[in-house]
Amino acid sequence: MNFCSTRNRDLRVTSAQAILQGLSEDGGLFLPTQLPAFSAQQIEEMAGQDYRQVAATVLGAFLPDYTADEIVGFVNDAYGKQFTAADVAPVKAIQPGVYSLELWHGPTCAFKDFALQMLPRLLPAAAKKCGSDKTVAILVATSGDTGKAALEGFADVEGTRICVFYPHGGTSEMQRLQMVTQTGGNVNVFAVKGNFDDTQNGVKAIFTDTSVAKELEDRGVMLSSANSINWGRLAPQIAYYYWAYAQLLKQGKIKMGDKINFSVPTGNFGDILAGYLAKKSGLPVDKLICASNENNVLTDFLKTGVYDRNRKFHLTDSPSMDILISSNLERLLYMITDGNDIVVRNWMEQLKKTGKYDVGPNVLAKLKEEGFVGYWCNDERTEITVHDTWFAKGYLCDTHTGVAVDALEQYTKETGDQTPCVVVSTASPFKFAPAILPAMDLDFQGTDFQMLEAMEIVSCMPAPKALTGLKNKEVRFDKVIEKDAMKQEVLDWLK
Ligand SMILES: *Cc1c(COP(=O)(O)O)cnc(C)c1O
């Protein structure tokens, strides 16, 4: 299996090169030129397997440069004891026909662990396969979840170093504490005076600065990225769609071949695209419900075919979905147009120049044909949904998952579709206690740790130790820097 760029279909790289490079030189994203295909028999067999076995089968097919032994070893390490649920990703019924795929039992309590426990294993191996002996320095700009998941994954991984920038005052207190208390000899964390866009622009400027690249080359260092444009982050996410289907088979909720729907809380479009790749490689999936918060650029796009980021940016209670440029949509557009790299490149150029592009009625019809539908809800609606899901169904979900539950409810009301649906649950409710407590009808003021305790009492569930344990951890990184100082800090750190 080869990989090409969404902006140049004739370009060819291996999966190892795609992972090491992250982004294609032409600015495009890497995609396999041909997808693997899983048979009904293979999927049925997954019902008798544990998460690690399913992940090894799926990942192996999407990463052909790695040997079966390598993949099995990586999977066993990545989805080991650091996941607190015995079955790694439990599938629970919220109500008949609606299920929650809980992806937040990993070390940082959000679904990004599924990819970021795997990428630090794939990346050094990719470097070796490509004959590179350079130290790989990962730079991350984060609004919260990605930074911590990447730190946790790359801490003390040989041949790598990782530096995270977060907006000063722009994350939740829990998210900040998770990052500034990170242990490991190869990690570094900075607060940047500015917002998330400033930190992201700062990181991009370092990536594209040729003098930085030259300087680092002399020191035997190359820069790489740990965000979801990297194929090594996307591929591990395909596995849990197969896993969810297999669990419903195992639980007797569906028969082999029955189609199911997924509702996915969406930001950068990485998670839902992994669902589409599962569908295109043989998983019986009908609808992919793209759930957005008030930053509803994707909802509008899936209704009209016009992608327009020229709108107000909202800070919401589901901050990991506060995004107006969904990078991985580019991969979907390439697939939907049967690899029309020229038209994809044009749309992306228009997006850069004008913040807007229109894919026209034919592509829009194709998106619908392929099962994509979009819905959104605001914070008030999210709170009501979390409230009702808790009080009427006894299931506690976080705000991001709440958005996906609400999107599913809107879809069901509009269409009457009774197809079984899996809601992809992306974060622990304990990670967002200040927004969840009011949804549980609790008017509570206090520190973030007191909120965790209050939530434990009213939910009768233990808070993850990864969060409660932060209280006694030493703060290792307290530097607040100007945004203009990011480049110099990186160069000093990599001395
Ligand atoms: C990152 C994130 C999302 C959005 O996922 P994308 O792959 O960016 O679409 C949703 N929920 C949570 C909790 C996240 O951390």
Side-chain angles (χ1 to χ4, degrees):
M1 186 200 293
N2 275 313
F3 286 70
C4 65
S5 161
T6 49
R7 299 190 197 180
N8 178 2
R9 60 177 298 151
D10 297 325
L11 186 109
R12 286 293 177 275
V13 298
T14 63
S15 59
Q17 283 171 305
I19 287 171
L20 187 61
Q21 244 177 280
L23 191 72
S24 175
E25 278 146 42
D26 50 34
L29 308 184
F30 292 118
L31 265 178
T33 51
Q34 209 188 347
L35 294 180
F38 294 96
S39 66
Q41 193 193 339
Q42 273 177 302
I43 296 169
E44 227 166 353
E45 278 167 12
M46 292 178 187
Q49 300 178 340
D50 66 17
Y51 188 83
R52 289 168 271 272
Q53 288 171 304
V54 173
T57 305
V58 176
L59 254 181
F62 279 95
L63 296 173
D65 297 338
Y66 293 79
T67 66
D69 281 353
E70 276 180 310
I71 294 285
V72 168
F74 293 161
V75 162
N76 287 340
D77 288 348
Y79 307 125
K81 283 203 188 68
Q82 65 272 53
F83 282 77
T84 53
D87 47 358
V88 182
V91 177
K92 295 186 181 159
I94 299 179
Q95 66 187 66
V98 178
Y99 308 93
S100 175
L101 169 63
E102 294 184 352
L103 299 175
W104 37 265
H105 297 281
T108 76
C109 311
F111 87 99
K112 295 200 167 65
D113 287 327
F114 278 82
L116 283 163
Q117 285 295 308
M118 184 53 71
L119 184 63
R121 295 174 166 90
L122 297 173
L123 195 64
K128 215 171 274 168
K129 287 176 201 300
C130 298
S132 163
D133 56 2
K134 293 201 177 94
T135 298
V136 183
I138 318 276
L139 302 185
V140 182
T142 183
S143 59
D145 287 337
T146 299
K148 175 59 181 177
L151 285 165
E152 193 68 31
F154 279 99
D156 288 331
V157 172
E158 211 177 304
T160 73
R161 304 186 67 179
I162 175 158
C163 185
V164 169
F165 299 95
Y166 69 91
H168 186 46
T171 66
S172 80
E173 180 60 3
M174 271 306 151
Q175 289 174 320
R176 186 187 73 85
L177 283 173
Q178 280 188 304
M179 291 187 277
V180 298
T181 59
Q182 178 66 46
T183 56
N186 64 339
V187 307
N188 206 346
V189 179
F190 293 102
V192 179
K193 285 187 194 161
N195 60 24
F196 171 67
D197 286 331
D198 295 325
T199 61
Q200 187 159 50
N201 288 340
V203 166
K204 277 189 189 153
I206 298 170
F207 272 123
T208 50
D209 188 324
T210 47
S211 72
V212 172
K214 177 81 190 49
E215 170 86 41
L216 293 180
E217 167 126 38
D218 292 344
R219 300 187 202 167
V221 176
M222 71 174 283
L223 296 176
S224 190
S225 157
N227 70 29
S228 65
I229 53 174
N230 194 317
W231 179 253
R233 255 196 73 174
L234 211 54
Q237 297 180 213
I238 302 168
Y240 53 67
Y241 285 89
Y242 278 91
W243 164 258
Y245 191 91
Q247 292 306 291
L248 293 185
L249 280 177
K250 186 179 170 183
Q251 294 173 16
K253 310 288 190 199
I254 55 170
K255 295 190 308 298
M256 186 59 221
D258 288 351
K259 286 198 172 175
I260 65 170
N261 296 337
F262 284 94
S263 182
V264 189
T266 297
N268 217 8
F269 213 76
D271 204 0
I272 194 167
L273 186 80
Y276 184 61
L277 288 162
K279 174 174 179 166
K280 297 309 271 183
S281 55
L283 194 68
V285 177
D286 188 18
K287 294 288 190 280
L288 287 160
I289 302 169
C290 175
S292 302
N293 64 25
E294 202 162 1
N295 296 295
N296 54 3
V297 58
L298 287 166
T299 319
D300 289 346
F301 172 68
L302 290 170
K303 289 227 156 77
T304 64
V306 178
Y307 193 97
D308 187 357
R309 61 157 302 204
N310 302 303
R311 57 182 72 208
K312 190 170 159 352
F313 178 85
H314 299 274
L315 287 170
T316 74
D317 287 338
S318 43
S320 303
M321 294 153 69
D322 291 347
I323 185 160
L324 291 177
I325 301 182
S326 300
S327 311
N328 279 296
L329 189 62
E330 179 169 347
R331 283 188 165 111
L332 175 63
L333 293 173
Y334 182 88
M335 290 173 75
I336 282 275
T337 57
D338 296 321
N340 193 334
D341 52 356
I342 295 169
V343 68
V344 170
R345 202 164 57 218
N346 275 337
W347 288 331
M348 292 306 124
E349 273 164 17
Q350 282 173 37
L351 179 66
K352 201 166 175 192
K353 272 195 217 121
T354 67
K356 188 176 164 176
Y357 60 88
D358 182 350
V359 297
N362 293 344
V363 172
L364 180 61
K366 187 81 199 292
L367 284 165
K368 289 188 176 150
E369 224 171 87
E370 291 293 288
F372 284 95
V373 291
Y375 294 87
W376 73 279
C377 72
N378 61 17
D379 281 348
E380 193 189 340
R381 217 28 262 168
T382 307
E383 187 181 325
I384 292 170
T385 303
V386 173
H387 173 277
D388 292 352
T389 306
W390 170 243
F391 284 100
K393 292 154 195 166
Y395 187 81
L396 186 63
C397 64
D398 92 295
T399 43
H400 303 75
T401 310
V403 170
V405 171
D406 191 79
L408 170 61
E409 281 170 4
Q410 292 183 51
Y411 167 76
T412 307
K413 206 164 168 188
E414 203 171 292
T415 62
D417 185 2
Q418 292 299 319
T419 306
C421 186
V422 173
V423 174
V424 179
S425 181
T426 48
S428 161
F430 286 96
K431 211 168 177 177
F432 300 95
I436 298 299
L437 281 174
M440 298 176 86
D441 284 344
L442 206 68
D443 180 16
F444 183 87
Q445 306 294 323
T447 67
D448 284 68
F449 292 105
Q450 289 166 336
M451 286 194 195
L452 283 187
E453 285 169 20
M455 241 179 100
E456 284 188 307
I457 293 166
V458 287
S459 69
C460 294
M461 289 193 293
K465 290 208 176 58
L467 299 179
T468 54
L470 290 171
K471 199 173 169 180
N472 305 314
K473 280 199 153 179
E474 179 203 350
V475 172
R476 295 185 65 210
F477 304 99
D478 55 6
K479 217 164 167 182
V480 183
I481 62 171
E482 301 291 336
K483 54 191 179 199
D484 303 334
M486 288 170 66
K487 172 175 152 184
Q488 196 53 49
E489 290 290 354
V490 167
L491 287 172
D492 291 349
W493 167 64
L494 289 171
K495 275 233 164 74

